[in-house]
Amino acid sequence: MNPIRARGIRKSFGALEVLKGVDLDLAKGEVLCILGPSGSGKSTLLRCINHLERPDGGMVELNGVPVGYRLSGTTFRELPEREIQKQRAAMGMVFQRFNLFPHLTARQNIMEAPRRVLGLSATEASQRAERLMKQVGLAEKVDTYPGALSGGQQQRVAIARALAMEPSVMLFDEPTSALDPELVGEVLDVMRSLADSHAMSMIVVTHEIGFARSVADRVMFMDGGVVVEQGKPQAVLANPEHERTRAFLRRILE
Amino acid sequence: MAGIGNQAGLPSVLTDEQLASAQLLPRKQPWTWVAAVAVVLVLANALYSILTNRGFGWPVVGEYFFAPQVMAGLFTTLMLTAISMTLALLLGIIVAVAAASRNPVLSSVAKGYIWIFRAIPLLVQIIFWYNLAALYPKLGFGIPFLPPVVEFDTNSVITAISAAIIAMSLNEGAYMAEIVRSGLNSVDSGQREAARALGMSSWDSFRRIVMPQAMRVIIPPTGNETLSMLKYTSLVSVIALPDLLYSTQLISSRNFEVIPMLLVASLWYLLVSTILMVIQSGIERHYAKSVVRP
Ligand SMILES: Nc1ncnc2c1ncn2[C@@H]1O[C@H](COP(=O)(O)OP(=O)(O)O)[C@@H](O)[C@H]1O
Ligand SMILES: [Mg+2]
């Protein structure tokens, strides 16, 4: 069963239709890279998948269960907030601007949700934080506040924080776009090793074509709220079928 | 070009050695010393006149500083301030959250409350609550327009103390709501979003993520409000409640030592304010610790 199956996702903000019926599948252990110009609805799609935004139409399934709704008869009834929170906890999200909690140390950032949501003890959560900080190569920074970390280090802590919930999928929204060029590599390395373990299913919105080419199992190109084309990275990146994809790649590669 | 030095790019007269081993001295600041001397002179003169002018009546001040009536007044002032400020803070948080709510009924009620209680003078509010029995002889709880489930005599519930606490909490709550609102607005929306994405409940996200960050913005004006409240409690003399200031005035109406008794009150206000300021800076340091780079 695919961890994520989305069908006909539509979303408007006022008169602006941002998603015009998007279908998306993510297989177990698969890495899907989403490319597309700014404003094409990539972030909104990720936010609809974990129900930070409620789609106006269509449905997302996580491990075969509808997200945010319960099927009753032939209609879908919206779930109580508490149930949706549980579903959200199973999808890790990494933001462009890290969004670490600045008043908490790296350890406390990682411990907070496992303690509150999964009910882990302080000792268990703290051990998990240490293990994950080691995994992202920051073992010695575990008791540091975000303000004293570089952008690349902050984003690696943010990845550790999301992994601490042991999610079945990870959603990355342009995780390296806010970083100085020399810091991009360390974050992509962490993501690459996560992908190489084949344990994690990942959706990565990114402009890093090199990463998409070497790590992605599949690349999807979005424009104007629709999926223009998708396929193997070699095919889509080297020989795009659509003029819009070609124009975008030309712009980004020069 | 004269006097601007080596702008034309002429070769420097200093050797590499001289530049590398330069002895650095701080800038001379003669005016700091002039100002310091002037301030010390003015203060010394003021202190001398205060201590030697018999009108200040220092022996009387000493005599009454710990008088039981003054102590009782001080206790009333501190209690009114502490209870009213605590209630106002809780009320302010609730009202600020309600005002930001997407529920239009809730947010209108909250905004209406802020509007009314900031507009009417505190003095009027104190007198109003104290005289509530004139408007409503009985107070009760129940469903609107139906007979009440429980009922009290208004005069048994509204004493001078409770009227003062109700008036000051409600009044201060409206100001605190505005302070809390600006604190909540100061927290980046990405923080709430990250907490939500981790599956945290909105209550946990408010309590553990948003509020601790909002505190940095909320505390300094709350310290101000507490100091104002400490002194505004003297308004309760209109309902004959003997706070610190009113107690000393009651004494001076008997012994006619007006200035010394005002000094007693002022010195106590000064002492309590100083302690509150120290507490405030301690709390500020606590909430600022995450921004200090190790
Ligand atoms: N909360 C919102 N309210 C109004 N408009 C929004 C909101 N979120 C996104 N949009 C608009 O939706 C469009 C798509 O945004 P987004 O999904 O962020 O695109 P992308 O991530 O591909 O750059 C943009 O025009 C953006 O301005
Ligand atoms: Mg985006």
Side-chain angles (χ1 to χ4, degrees):
Chain A
M1 185 194 317
N2 281 345
I4 293 208
R5 192 157 76 102
R7 290 294 176 270
I9 303 299
R10 286 184 292 106
K11 180 74 193 175
S12 301
F13 292 111
L16 179 69
E17 195 177 15
V18 176
L19 296 176
K20 302 171 179 164
V22 174
D23 297 347
L24 180 150
D25 288 282
L26 185 71
K28 190 149 177 47
E30 187 183 25
V31 178
L32 169 64
C33 279
I34 302 180
L35 309 176
S38 173
S40 57
K42 308 179 297 294
S43 297
T44 307
L45 177 60
L46 288 191
R47 295 162 53 80
C48 282
I49 288 174
N50 72 355
H51 228 71
L52 281 178
E53 298 282 359
R54 184 171 49 179
D56 299 332
M59 186 64 63
V60 179
E61 269 188 1
L62 173 70
N63 299 319
V65 179
V67 176
Y69 296 88
R70 190 195 332 264
L71 182 63
S72 68
T74 54
T75 53
F76 289 91
R77 173 70 64 187
E78 189 168 20
L79 286 171
E81 192 56 33
R82 181 168 292 276
E83 299 292 317
I84 301 180
Q85 282 155 13
K86 269 191 220 146
Q87 295 184 317
R88 240 184 239 130
M91 295 179 265
M93 190 163 199
V94 175
F95 301 88
Q96 183 173 347
R97 289 183 306 126
F98 329 138
N99 296 353
L100 287 181
F101 308 133
H103 61 301
L104 303 177
T105 63
R107 183 197 300 274
Q108 293 165 334
N109 262 274
I110 299 172
M111 286 172 66
E112 189 62 34
R115 294 268 284 132
R116 308 280 148 206
V117 183
L118 305 179
L120 257 60
S121 74
T123 327
E124 289 170 310
S126 181
Q127 281 166 355
R128 189 174 287 192
E130 281 169 16
R131 174 168 57 76
L132 286 164
M133 284 294 277
K134 201 154 129 201
Q135 185 179 333
V136 300
L138 290 171
E140 75 286 7
K141 299 284 188 187
V142 70
D143 290 311
T144 308
Y145 284 101
L149 295 173
S150 74
Q153 291 171 332
Q154 287 189 50
Q155 192 62 297
R156 283 146 72 193
V157 175
I159 293 173
R161 179 177 69 177
L163 289 174
M165 297 299 285
E166 304 193 321
S168 47
V169 298
M170 285 282 284
L171 312 172
F172 293 86
D173 191 1
E174 300 198 33
T176 58
S177 296
L179 296 175
D180 290 337
E182 83 270 19
L183 302 177
V184 168
E186 61 187 68
V187 172
L188 293 182
D189 284 345
V190 168
M191 293 166 60
R192 188 172 284 125
S193 71
L194 198 58
D196 286 344
S197 68
H198 295 292
M200 192 52 75
S201 319
M202 299 163 50
I203 302 179
V204 184
V205 173
T206 186
H207 292 307
E208 297 290 332
I209 300 297
F211 178 82
R213 188 179 292 126
S214 62
V215 178
D217 299 303
R218 190 155 47 95
V219 168
M220 186 167 130
F221 177 72
M222 277 182 74
D223 195 8
V226 296
V227 176
V228 176
E229 66 180 297
Q230 57 180 316
K232 292 263 169 234
Q234 307 84 302
V236 175
L237 296 175
N239 285 311
E241 280 179 23
H242 289 260
E243 176 47 35
R244 281 198 276 179
T245 318
R246 257 176 299 208
F248 173 76
L249 289 173
R250 258 202 309 279
R251 239 180 309 128
I252 225 167
L253 287 174
E254 68 197 16
Chain B
M1 268 299 176
I4 303 182
N6 213 347
Q7 273 199 350
L10 299 175
S12 169
V13 292
L14 296 170
T15 65
D16 289 353
E17 189 62 29
Q18 278 175 307
L19 289 174
S21 60
Q23 270 206 20
L24 311 175
L25 299 176
R27 181 181 300 137
K28 284 186 179 165
Q29 298 182 317
W31 288 106
T32 309
W33 291 104
V34 173
V37 169
V39 168
V40 166
L41 282 177
V42 169
L43 284 181
N45 189 261
L47 193 65
Y48 179 76
S49 95
I50 288 173
L51 289 177
T52 54
N53 186 330
R54 289 181 172 281
F56 283 105
W58 289 107
V60 183
V61 172
E63 188 184 329
Y64 281 97
F65 199 67
F66 293 107
Q69 204 176 347
V70 173
M71 291 292 101
L74 176 65
F75 176 77
T76 303
T77 292
L78 291 179
M79 184 198 63
L80 282 179
T81 307
I83 295 180
S84 307
M85 206 60 210
T86 308
L87 292 177
L89 181 60
L90 292 178
L91 192 60
I93 292 174
I94 294 169
V95 172
V97 171
S101 140
R102 248 172 294 179
N103 180 334
V105 180
L106 211 56
S107 88
S108 314
V109 169
K111 284 171 186 161
Y113 160 78
I114 295 175
W115 171 59
I116 291 193
F117 282 84
R118 288 202 306 172
I120 297 171
L122 177 55
L123 189 58
V124 175
Q125 293 184 40
I126 292 173
I127 298 172
F128 171 84
W129 287 107
Y130 189 55
N131 293 295
L132 192 64
L135 287 170
Y136 298 100
K138 288 198 180 300
L139 293 179
F141 294 100
I143 299 158
F145 297 109
L146 294 180
V149 182
V150 271
E151 210 175 36
F152 312 95
D153 238 5
T154 303
N155 275 328
S156 70
V157 186
I158 301 287
T159 60
I161 289 268
S162 65
I165 289 175
I166 292 172
M168 293 200 300
S169 311
L170 287 175
N171 177 255
E172 187 56 36
Y175 287 95
M176 286 308 303
E178 287 293 282
I179 292 173
V180 173
R181 191 172 64 94
S182 69
L184 295 180
N185 286 344
S186 75
V187 179
D188 185 84
S189 64
Q191 293 291 306
R192 216 176 260 114
E193 184 141 289
R196 232 150 62 87
L198 286 164
M200 289 171 72
S201 68
S202 32
W203 169 240
D204 275 342
S205 138
F206 177 77
R207 190 172 60 100
R208 304 278 307 171
I209 306 302
V210 177
M211 207 52 197
Q213 296 183 60
M215 285 312 257
R216 293 242 309 277
V217 173
I218 291 174
I219 288 164
T222 303
N224 266 341
E225 293 294 310
T226 311
L227 290 180
S228 303
M229 169 81 88
L230 181 71
K231 284 159 285 181
Y232 271 122
T233 49
S234 56
L235 289 177
V236 299
S237 64
V238 293
I239 54 174
L241 192 61
D243 73 312
L244 176 58
L245 184 61
Y246 191 45
S247 305
T248 56
Q249 283 176 332
L250 286 175
I251 297 174
S252 60
S253 70
R254 289 196 309 266
N255 67 7
F256 307 110
E257 300 276 12
V258 176
I259 297 283
M261 292 320 292
L262 282 179
L263 272 175
V264 169
S266 300
L267 287 175
W268 273 117
Y269 281 120
L270 190 63
L271 189 68
V272 174
S273 299
T274 308
I275 294 171
L276 288 177
M277 286 176 208
V278 171
I279 294 175
Q280 180 187 344
S281 65
I283 299 177
E284 275 174 29
R285 246 194 324 271
H286 171 78
Y287 281 103
K289 68 173 189 271
S290 61
V291 289
V292 180
R293 286 184 162 245

